[in-house]
């Protein structure tokens, strides 16, 4: 007869596979690496098979481990969903809502709306993760996020969406820059000067590279950085100019030394939207958060 399988140990095993490392999984799940290793050993003992092979290069799944990882993901999602649904049965708005959002929405719009929501619904916990727009959509589709906020995309039929905010792209530069005297700039004007790119591989990066390719197939940005605040420091140091969402420019380039000019192109009029997996009925805490975030 098979021994009892602990759902928490199963969750930890799934985390180890996802992270490819016991230490990284332990950090992610806020547990000591030694305790996590013990949990995995107990799970292997309960199943009577080895699930992982440890080596200096990391971990490898056995055939049994691959099967447990696949089924374990589904079981963990079902258990989390069960907990959220049960928490909503007493008529109160409580429980956990998983919110996944892109960088610009987290910088410019979400903090204040989340604070207001938390004041109205103090019993609701919100687990926030930052991801690129495409990853936000994927997380909603895979039911890894209850609510997603990101740049408007052609979303699959399985998702519902609602307006969140307008966040147009603008050009940020120092006041003394030659383009500073213009009221509106074309992308071609900005490309005549060293450009600072943000978040290589992200939605904004892909958009700008696509537009740059239409104008100059061999264009290469001057500097590539990981965040908008770093981009503003590069601008401040005189290394170039940057195209970024208005929300980010307001947060990081509000000092008088910076000039901010709108882009003339229609594609610069970015819209942020709320996304959620189509469900009926939807957990009340999730629905209330969606209502609170709508524009």
């Amino acid at each position: 007869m098979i021994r009892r399988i602990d759902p928490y140990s199963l969750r930890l095993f799934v985390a180890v596979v996802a992270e490819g490392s016991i230490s990284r999984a332990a950090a992610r799940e806020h547990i000591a690496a030694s305790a996590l290793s013990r949990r995995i050993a107990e799970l292997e003992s309960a199943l009577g098979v080895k699930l992982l092979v440890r080596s200096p290069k990391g971990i490898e799944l056995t055939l049994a481990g691959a099967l447990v990882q696949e089924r374990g993901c589904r079981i963990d999602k079902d258990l989390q969903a069960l907990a959220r649904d049960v928490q909503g049965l007493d008529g109160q708005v409580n429980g956990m809502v998983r919110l996944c959002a892109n960088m610009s929405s987290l910088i410019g719009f979400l903090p204040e709306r989340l604070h207001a929501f938390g004041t109205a619904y103090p019993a609701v916990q919100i687990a926030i993760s930052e991801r690129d727009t495409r990853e936000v959509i994927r997380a909603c589709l895979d039911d890894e996020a209850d609510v997603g906020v990101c740049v408007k995309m052609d979303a699959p039929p399985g998702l519902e969406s609602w307006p969140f905010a307008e966040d147009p792209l603008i050009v940020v530069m120092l006041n003394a820059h030659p383009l500073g005297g213009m009221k509106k700039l074309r992308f071609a004007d900005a490309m005549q000067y060293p450009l600072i790119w943000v978040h290589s591989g992200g939605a904004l990066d892909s958009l700008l590279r696509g537009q740059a390719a239409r104008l100059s197939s061999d264009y290469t940005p001057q500097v590539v950085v990981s965040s908008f605040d770093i981009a503003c420091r590069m601008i401040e140091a005189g290394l170039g100019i940057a195209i970024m969402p208005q929300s980010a420019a307001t947060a990081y380039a509000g000092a008088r030394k910076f000039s901010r000019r709108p882009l003339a192109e229609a594609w610069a009029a970015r819209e942020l939207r709320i996304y959620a997996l189509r469900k009926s009925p939807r957990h009340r805490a999730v629905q209330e958060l969606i209502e609170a975030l709508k524009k």
Side-chain angles (χ1 to χ4, degrees), residues 103-104 107 130 132 196-202 204-205 223-232 234 252:
M103 188 189 305
S104 57
I107 291 170
E130 179 204 325
D132 179 67
I196 298 165
W197 240 243
V198 181
H199 192 187
S200 181
L204 176 58
D205 174 64
V223 179
V224 179
V225 297
S226 60
S227 63
F228 296 118
D229 55 334
I230 298 175
C232 290
M234 297 295 117
Y252 299 122

Side-chain angles (χ1 to χ4, degrees), residues 192-271:
Q192 301 307 309
Y193 297 88
L195 273 175
I196 298 165
W197 240 243
V198 181
H199 192 187
S200 181
L204 176 58
D205 174 64
S206 298
L207 172 64
L208 295 182
R209 287 186 185 277
Q211 296 300 325
R214 294 183 180 183
L215 300 174
S216 173
S217 59
D218 60 348
Y219 183 80
T220 302
Q222 179 81 2
V223 179
V224 179
V225 297
S226 60
S227 63
F228 296 118
D229 55 334
I230 298 175
C232 290
R233 282 289 294 122
M234 297 295 117
I235 296 169
E236 189 177 28
L239 292 175
I241 64 178
I243 295 171
M244 63 179 67
Q246 183 172 283
S247 58
T250 300
Y252 299 122
R256 293 183 179 180
K257 68 184 78 171
F258 294 106
S259 289
R260 298 178 289 177
R261 298 290 181 266
L263 272 175
E265 282 81 3
W267 52 261
R270 273 191 354 156
E271 179 187 353

Side-chain angles (χ1 to χ4, degrees), residues 18-287:
E19 294 295 329
S21 159
I22 288 176
S23 59
R24 287 196 296 270
R28 168 177 140 179
E29 296 295 327
H30 308 290
I31 184 175
S34 58
L36 190 152
S37 292
R38 186 166 59 253
R39 287 277 190 168
I40 299 299
E42 290 171 355
L43 181 61
E44 290 176 327
S45 176
L47 292 169
V49 293
K50 291 291 291 182
L51 302 177
L52 298 174
V53 177
R54 298 166 178 82
S55 73
K57 294 182 179 179
I59 61 162
E60 293 182 12
L61 286 175
T62 64
L63 289 176
L67 178 60
V68 172
Q69 188 268 341
E70 180 188 351
R71 299 278 182 86
C73 283
R74 294 207 300 265
I75 291 170
D76 185 57
K77 285 181 180 179
D78 286 345
L79 287 173
Q80 296 301 319
L82 174 62
R84 292 194 301 273
D85 291 344
V86 168
Q87 288 166 351
L89 292 178
D90 60 1
Q92 297 183 2
V93 183
N94 55 23
M96 171 76 75
V97 180
R98 301 163 299 169
L99 173 64
C100 193
N102 74 327
M103 188 189 305
S104 57
S105 63
L106 284 169
I107 291 170
F109 303 95
L110 274 171
E112 288 75 17
R113 296 193 202 184
L114 290 176
H115 180 267
F117 179 81
T119 301
Y121 301 103
V124 177
Q125 292 179 288
I126 301 178
I128 305 171
S129 61
E130 179 204 325
R131 301 190 193 180
D132 179 67
T133 287
R134 286 182 290 268
E135 294 172 343
V136 170
I137 297 295
R138 187 74 258 166
C140 291
L141 280 172
D142 292 344
D143 203 18
E144 293 178 357
D146 300 304
V147 181
V149 181
C150 60
V151 178
K152 180 181 178 181
M153 291 187 67
D154 292 329
L159 294 184
E160 292 185 85
S161 75
W162 304 266
F164 177 69
E166 301 295 329
D167 197 17
L169 296 176
I170 64 174
V171 184
V172 179
M173 68 202 86
L174 291 175
N175 287 329
H177 195 276
L179 295 177
M182 300 177 67
K183 291 186 177 180
K184 227 175 197 184
L185 298 173
R186 296 176 304 139
F187 184 47
D189 298 328
M191 285 183 62
Q192 301 307 309
Y193 297 88
L195 273 175
I196 298 165
W197 240 243
V198 181
H199 192 187
S200 181
L204 176 58
D205 174 64
S206 298
L207 172 64
L208 295 182
R209 287 186 185 277
Q211 296 300 325
R214 294 183 180 183
L215 300 174
S216 173
S217 59
D218 60 348
Y219 183 80
T220 302
Q222 179 81 2
V223 179
V224 179
V225 297
S226 60
S227 63
F228 296 118
D229 55 334
I230 298 175
C232 290
R233 282 289 294 122
M234 297 295 117
I235 296 169
E236 189 177 28
L239 292 175
I241 64 178
I243 295 171
M244 63 179 67
Q246 183 172 283
S247 58
T250 300
Y252 299 122
R256 293 183 179 180
K257 68 184 78 171
F258 294 106
S259 289
R260 298 178 289 177
R261 298 290 181 266
L263 272 175
E265 282 81 3
W267 52 261
R270 273 191 354 156
E271 179 187 353
L272 300 177
R273 291 188 71 84
I274 304 161
Y275 291 93
L277 197 61
R278 192 179 300 276
K279 287 183 178 180
S280 183
R282 184 174 278 120
H283 189 280
R284 189 176 173 193
V286 174
Q287 188 60 46

